[in-house]
Structure formats: structure tokens, C-alpha cells
Amino acid sequence: MFSSASGRLVLSSMILALAACGGGGGGGSLGDDPGAPAGAKLSITAATGAAFVDATITVTDSTGRRVGSGGPVGEDGVLPITLDTGAQAPLIITARRTAAGGEETVLVSVARSVPAEGTADVNVTPVTTLIAALLSPSGDPQQLAPADLTPEQIDEKVAAVQAVLQPLLAATGQEVADDPLSTPFEVNGTGYDRMLDSLVVQITPASADRSNIVVGVKLPDSAEPNEVQFASNEADLPVLDPVDPQTLPALGTIQKINALLQRVQDCFALPVAQRVNTTVTDGLAQGTAANVVAPQCKAMFAGNDPGSFRHNGTVVGRDSKGRGAWNSLFREGATDLKLSEGSYEYTTGAGYIVAGYKWTDRLGNEDYDALVLHEDDDGALRIIGNQYQYSGGVTAFHTLRQFINKPEFSYLATGYRVDVANQLDEHGQSIFDRVEVIRPNGLPWPNLVPTATSDQLVMNTASGTAALRVGYEFLDPAAAPGPNDWETFQTFDPRQLFAKPRWNDADIAGLKTTGKFTFRYFLKGNATDEPDAVQYYRVRSRPLTIAELRQRAFSRLADSVVNALVAAGQGNYGFVEAPANVPYAFGPWEVPSGALPATSATIYGRLANTGPNGSDRITVRSNMRSATIPCIPASAQDGHCVPGTQNFASDYWLNGLQLFAKDSTGREYTNLYALVIPQLPQP
């Protein structure tokens, strides 16, 4: 077992940010026999912040043959695999888990030799995946080949990663001599497992011969980030700063998070008529927190009281328009909801724990989200929300903006998107004057302001955008109509917001993966410099560099849809008039290999092709490939919908269509099809 002492060890992750814990296997030793004897076994522990449940595992030997496989991995993370007789060392062990929408999470490990007899323990964790990334000539652990491995190379990379993590290992009392590739440990929130729960690592392929790697410690909101950044092909790796053990998650935190997820499942195992005490019609009910009556559902919330919950200004309930926090409690369609892959993210300044998780509905749709939890007097974690009065949030944002009428102008951009809902008063008017956003470095962003045609506050009233593009580059450099600079992009795409000057990849790669943003809310009528409220938000990952973004695939509209939009474009603008008196039929779209499935679809347009840009969006299941978008007015002054219906009015012109996806680290990806025909001034 991993033992307690001051020392160094290893941790890691994949393209997705992962924190790890794991379990142990028993008995046996790794011998020097180049061929596995009959009946030789590996006891494989596969884990990421908990057991790598439902993953399948394959073992490849030095000849490139698959010499063992098994799965799915169970709740303890341990899976025994019998090797083919004669399997040759070294071995590559791959654990693969595929989500319903097609997103894959892959862990990789290596073994220096095969068991001379009996059973040998092998760990497959984010730790071993980082070792595999450093061993891989491409920096991508999934590209690691048997020819890349020797026992000496493995030892060298293990030692290098141990040095990086020495301060965190010392803070959790771990012994440097234990081998992270083969020493068993238990998933119990203590010792080595606690150290893994405290770690965040990102490995992001950036080119054919390099991945960008971030290793950091999960610290409270009030602490300065403690992380190091390096490329997979660097010889000398940086070391984490000293770690105060008191800043790490308490013992057993991940177990408490998983217990909370189980309580949520216990609630949603009940039919809606038992969850709430209001009338259910066609599987839908309305009500407030007071109408949540099932003890299993009350047990989800702090103090066993759904009324204690508040998050970004929303409270538990479901109104006549289907709005409200945890409105799924009032919908039969949410019955049998499953929550899994719980992870500790950080502790807020108010002492609440932010936990990541994945939800899966009974149709197999999946997505990732986070919960804000409170530790009750009985020691259990329960849902409380951030207790903020107003909407807010910031995420790493990435876009492929395709100009379908002039493809040479298409570009990739990376940056941040700020999210504040345009809250309305009883007269249909925005309650906000503005929201000021201050970056972690103390510098401001453009103010967020309301418009009559957007359900979100925006930074640019002409476009309706709340995204700031800090890095940007033409998709096809050979066909680019101009240089990759602010003057070029702001000239041909003036409705978007581009950082000036443009950040290069080194600037973006140097950003901290976490950072606290300050939101200052000014309500309508407040002409002072004193905000009505101040709220704080964190990102869970930095934006990708442009080089990293080029390695990603996007969900995309079918070619037939794009061709039809080009053919329907009008005049010098290329805009397309939306069919009147009906909702908009969006799609179909496709999800290429390696792409995230779209989870929302949006159309952008303007009434009479004048005035501010507006948008309508719909959440879609991860396995859907088409959708119908209803028209929803954003305010009392918004006239783009037929009154009293969800149909679009006449003379409403589309200028963009967008597919949206989000990964498990909170990074957002959009494929935005721009109908406008861009141009640069003639020299």
C-alpha cells in the first residue's frame, strides 16, 4: 500500500481536467520473464476522482498485440484480467469510457514487465496517464506505442513527475519510494487517495509532437492558485509551491459528495406524484419549494429544506413557463435521473463545497454540471446553491465561426463568455442598468448591458454577444484575406469583441486554470459608483490555445442545410428570412468522431433586418440531431414573435445559426454559421 511519510509521487489527467483517486489490487509481483506464463493475471485498479466505473480495459504488449481485455469496471475500480500466454513486456494498459453522446475519457498506464507468477497490481489513473504523456513522442498518451517504452525510460518519467508533485505529497504525508504504476491503494478519501482528490491536471495536445500540461492543487476560493505549466517535451519540469495541508479537502470529502449524488438519485427514483403534492397533468406539475414533500427529495437540500436553496437568483420550483431551479422535481420525464462521476472542485469563501458531476436521464442523454453544497450538522453534504441574488457566471469559450458565403473569412477564436440573464420586472423591463466584470488581474471587461431582444446581458449591443475573443486566427491561413490582427478582425466582423492586441498562444497557455472574477451589479436607476450587489465566479479551466483548438472537432450542420442557407441568402448581406408563423426547424446536424455532441441550438436574427440582434435557443438532448426552436420574446418591447404564440413573426431575418457543446471541465464550444457576407476595405 502507499505509505505515509514526507516524499514525492505522481499524478495526472487526460484532455479533460481530472482529479484522481483509486483502489488496490492484491498479491503477486512483476518479474523479469519476457513472456507471460499461462494464467498470469493483472489486477488493474482504474480510477479518476472515484472508480472509473463502466470503463473497458485493454492490454497491449510490446509486439502490438492485444493480450488481454475486460470490463466494465465496477464500483471498487478493480478489474482482474488474464494475459494471453507469452505476452511480451512492456505492456500498455488503456481504460476507455464512452458517454452516451460519444465523448470519450481515456486513461493510460504502462507496466515494465509481465508477472513471473500469480497476479501483479497495475494502476490506471490520471497519474499513470501523465507518465504515459511524457513517454509518448507526441505528448498524447493515447498515441503511446510499445516501441516508445523501455524500463529505464519509464523510471525516468516517473521520477520527473514525482519531483513536480513533491510539495503536495509532503502535505498529504506520502512516501516517495512507492511506485504509482503498481502500488495498490484504497478509495477511502485518506492518504494517497486524499492527495489525488486534491489534484487537478490537464493534458491538452497542441501539435504532432507536444501536449501542453497543467498540474495544480485544488485550493479554496480565497487562496492564490498553485499550479505549474509545461510542455510534454520539456526536459526540466517545474515544481509546485509548498502546500498547506489545512487548505486541502477534508478527509472523506469525495465519499460525502458521492453520498449526496445517491440521495438525489433516491429522490428521482420516485414518480413525480410522490415527489411533489401538486396536480400533475400530462407528466408536468407546478409549484414551489413548499410543494416538495417526499422525504427523499427534502434530504437533497441543506437542512432537509428545499426552501434553503438559492442559486444565481433562482429558487426551487416550476412556474407556468417551466422556469425555476430544480424544476425537474416537477417533471415526470426526469424520473430515474442518474448522477455520477462526482468530483471535488473547490471551497467557496462562504465555506460551501463546489462539486462536479455528470447527469444521465432515462433516455440516455448526458451532460456535466456542478453543485454548491453545504455541510449540515450531521456531517452530510447537501445542496444549497451559491445563495447569490442575481444570475452570473464565466466560462472558457471557443468558437469556430464559419462564413458560409465567404469561407476564406472563417476563423477560430478562444476566450471567455460571461453569462448574466436579463432579469425582467413585472412590466417586462430589465431590472439592470449594467454589470461590471473585473478579471482576476484587476482589469475590467466591457460592461454588460440589457437589450430589448436578448435574454442575456451583452457586451456589444449590435451583435448581442457576451463573449470576448482573446485569441483568434483564420481557419485556413493559406486563404486568409488579411493578417491575424485586431484591425483585420474588428473590421470585417465588427459585431464581435476581439481583444486588442490579440493574445498569442503563449499568453493563453500561461493563464491560470482557475481565477476569481468579480461581478458588480448596478440596478436600473443606480447612477452611482456603488453596486447594488457583488458576486464572485471562478472558471474551472483556462481557454484553449489556438493550436490546441485546431486539434478539436465540432458538431456541424449537414452539408445540405448549409447549401440551402447559401441558396436562400438575400442581397449583399446573405441573411435568410425565417419561415413566418411557425417555430424554426433547426438541422439536421452531425457529430464527427472526436467531437462533443451539441447540447443546445441557437438562431440569431433581426426583425426587419434592422435594430439590435436577438437570439432564440433550445436545449437539446445529446443524442438528438435536429430540433424545433420556439420563438420566445425577450422583453415587452420584443416584436419578433407572433403575440401569444411560439411562432416567428414576418420579416424576421436570420444572420447566424449555432451549435453548442460543453465538456466535463466546463469549457464551451460553439460552431457558429454566419450568414453575413464579410468584406475588407479595398486598399
Side-chain angles (χ1 to χ4, degrees):
M1 301 291 292
F2 283 102
S3 56
S4 297
S6 176
R8 293 178 283 184
L9 200 56
V10 190
L11 298 111
S12 77
S13 171
M14 280 298 301
I15 297 172
L16 305 179
L18 298 173
C21 38
S29 62
L30 291 175
D32 298 323
D33 190 340
K41 294 182 179 180
L42 300 179
S43 179
I44 297 174
T45 298
T48 65
F52 203 39
V53 175
D54 293 333
T56 58
I57 295 179
T58 58
V59 181
T60 305
D61 77 353
S62 63
T63 69
R65 293 186 304 133
R66 189 174 74 173
V67 295
S69 62
V73 173
E75 295 291 341
D76 63 355
V78 179
L79 183 70
I81 290 181
T82 300
L83 297 175
D84 291 351
T85 301
Q88 303 288 310
L91 305 175
I92 297 176
I93 303 95
T94 304
R96 189 180 304 272
R97 182 166 63 190
T98 304
E103 181 181 3
E104 283 193 333
T105 306
V106 180
L107 301 177
V108 181
S109 188
V110 298
R112 301 172 181 86
S113 54
V114 298
E117 59 181 2
T119 300
D121 293 302
V122 176
N123 297 328
V124 188
T125 69
V127 174
T128 65
T129 307
L130 179 56
I131 296 169
L134 297 182
L135 288 165
S136 175
S138 68
D140 183 347
Q142 295 189 58
Q143 301 298 320
L144 182 65
D148 302 325
L149 299 176
T150 67
E152 294 75 20
Q153 290 171 325
I154 295 172
D155 290 343
E156 176 188 348
K157 300 307 181 185
V158 167
V161 178
Q162 287 175 329
V164 172
L165 293 203
Q166 188 277 330
L168 180 57
L169 292 159
T172 51
Q174 298 306 297
E175 177 59 60
V176 66
D178 290 325
D179 187 349
L181 297 174
S182 59
T183 303
F185 60 97
E186 297 181 13
V187 186
N188 59 8
T190 66
Y192 186 65
D193 188 50
R194 184 190 182 204
M195 185 270 294
L196 295 176
D197 283 335
S198 305
L199 184 79
V200 59
V201 177
Q202 297 177 354
I203 302 173
T204 311
S207 67
D209 61 358
R210 189 189 79 229
S211 286
N212 292 329
I213 298 174
V214 176
V215 177
V217 183
K218 292 184 174 181
L219 296 173
D221 202 25
S222 57
E224 289 296 319
N226 183 359
E227 64 182 49
V228 293
Q229 304 162 344
F230 53 91
S232 59
N233 55 7
E234 287 186 30
D236 298 320
L237 305 185
V239 178
L240 289 168
D241 290 337
V243 178
D244 180 356
Q246 299 302 314
T247 63
L248 301 179
L251 298 179
T253 295
I254 191 64
Q255 284 71 31
K256 292 183 178 182
I257 291 171
N258 288 333
L260 177 277
L261 300 185
Q262 182 59 55
R263 284 196 294 278
V264 176
Q265 290 189 178
D266 292 343
C267 167
F268 282 94
L270 302 173
V272 65
Q274 294 182 28
R275 298 197 295 263
V276 301
N277 65 359
T278 55
T279 302
V280 180
T281 303
D282 295 329
L284 299 173
Q286 298 178 28
T288 68
N291 297 116
V292 179
V293 295
Q296 296 93 325
C297 299
K298 290 183 176 182
M300 292 167 44
F301 297 99
N304 292 287
D305 178 11
S308 67
F309 178 91
R310 177 180 291 274
H311 189 80
N312 283 347
T314 62
V315 296
V316 171
R318 184 177 184 274
D319 65 13
S320 60
K321 295 183 178 180
R323 299 173 302 190
W326 289 97
N327 64 74
S328 51
L329 290 166
F330 297 80
R331 294 187 289 107
E332 183 62 42
T335 301
D336 294 327
L337 184 72
K338 305 296 183 185
L339 276 64
S340 61
E341 300 183 30
S343 64
Y344 170 84
E345 297 299 327
Y346 62 93
T347 301
T348 72
Y352 302 142
I353 287 176
V354 178
Y357 72 101
K358 181 180 77 173
W359 63 259
T360 306
D361 69 17
R362 60 185 177 185
L363 298 177
N365 300 294
E366 298 178 338
D367 203 358
Y368 294 93
D369 211 333
L371 296 168
V372 182
L373 309 177
H374 173 267
E375 185 171 13
D376 278 357
D377 292 340
D378 62 0
L381 294 177
R382 293 187 174 89
I383 303 167
I384 194 169
N386 57 24
Q387 297 295 299
Y388 286 159
Q389 184 68 29
Y390 304 111
S391 166
V394 58
T395 55
F397 167 85
H398 313 83
T399 189
L400 167 58
R401 186 162 168 84
Q402 300 191 64
F403 290 90
I404 62 176
N405 292 295
K406 277 199 172 183
E408 66 271 22
F409 282 84
S410 298
Y411 65 84
L412 292 163
T414 182
Y416 294 96
R417 186 182 69 83
V418 182
D419 183 12
V420 177
N422 186 16
Q423 188 173 333
L424 306 180
D425 61 20
E426 65 274 16
H427 304 296
Q429 305 289 326
S430 177
I431 68 169
F432 296 112
D433 177 78
R434 69 191 186 280
V435 176
E436 299 175 352
V437 180
I438 311 299
R439 292 162 50 193
N441 62 5
L443 298 178
W445 272 346
N447 288 345
L448 292 163
V449 296
T451 69
T453 57
S454 177
D455 59 0
Q456 302 286 309
L457 300 194
V458 302
M459 291 182 180
N460 184 326
T461 56
S463 67
T465 187
L468 180 63
R469 294 151 171 81
V470 299
Y472 36 93
E473 191 173 283
F474 287 108
L475 183 62
D476 183 358
N484 292 307
D485 57 25
W486 181 87
E487 285 75 16
T488 299
F489 279 77
Q490 200 67 69
T491 298
F492 82 82
D493 203 8
R495 294 179 177 274
Q496 307 308 315
L497 286 175
F498 300 93
K500 181 183 182 181
R502 179 177 74 101
W503 298 13
N504 60 37
D505 276 2
D507 296 327
I508 299 169
L511 293 171
K512 299 297 185 182
T513 58
T514 61
K516 186 164 65 174
F517 291 75
T518 302
F519 284 51
R520 291 162 48 87
Y521 294 79
F522 293 81
L523 301 184
K524 185 170 57 178
N526 183 350
T528 73
D529 293 330
E530 290 298 321
D532 294 280
V534 178
Q535 299 176 182
Y536 302 96
Y537 295 93
R538 277 177 49 157
V539 291
R540 295 166 60 193
S541 299
R542 67 160 174 80
L544 297 178
T545 68
I546 294 296
E548 293 166 346
L549 189 55
R550 286 188 178 276
Q551 311 302 311
R552 300 300 302 250
F554 289 78
S555 293
R556 64 193 182 201
L557 288 173
D559 290 343
S560 59
V561 176
V562 176
N563 293 337
L565 290 169
V566 172
Q570 298 292 308
N572 295 326
Y573 295 101
F575 297 163
V576 174
E577 187 174 11
N581 300 310
V582 292
Y584 185 78
F586 189 106
W589 62 85
E590 304 164 349
V591 182
S593 175
L596 296 168
T599 54
S600 75
T602 304
I603 55 174
Y604 298 92
R606 295 189 294 175
L607 188 63
N609 210 9
T610 60
N613 215 40
S615 64
D616 292 271
R617 70 173 61 85
I618 189 170
T619 298
V620 299
R621 302 187 184 103
S622 55
N623 56 10
M624 289 175 61
R625 297 297 179 265
S626 64
T628 299
I629 299 181
C631 187
I632 306 296
S635 70
Q637 293 76 40
D638 185 358
H640 82 291
C641 304
V642 177
T645 76
Q646 294 187 339
N647 300 331
F648 286 87
S650 301
D651 206 22
Y652 186 68
W653 292 82
L654 303 180
N655 53 42
L657 293 86
Q658 177 179 281
L659 290 166
F660 168 93
K662 180 175 63 175
D663 69 20
S664 60
T665 71
R667 285 176 171 142
E668 297 180 348
Y669 302 86
T670 66
N671 192 348
L672 178 55
Y673 293 82
L675 278 56
V676 65
I677 300 175
Q679 55 185 337
L680 289 172
Q682 296 299 316

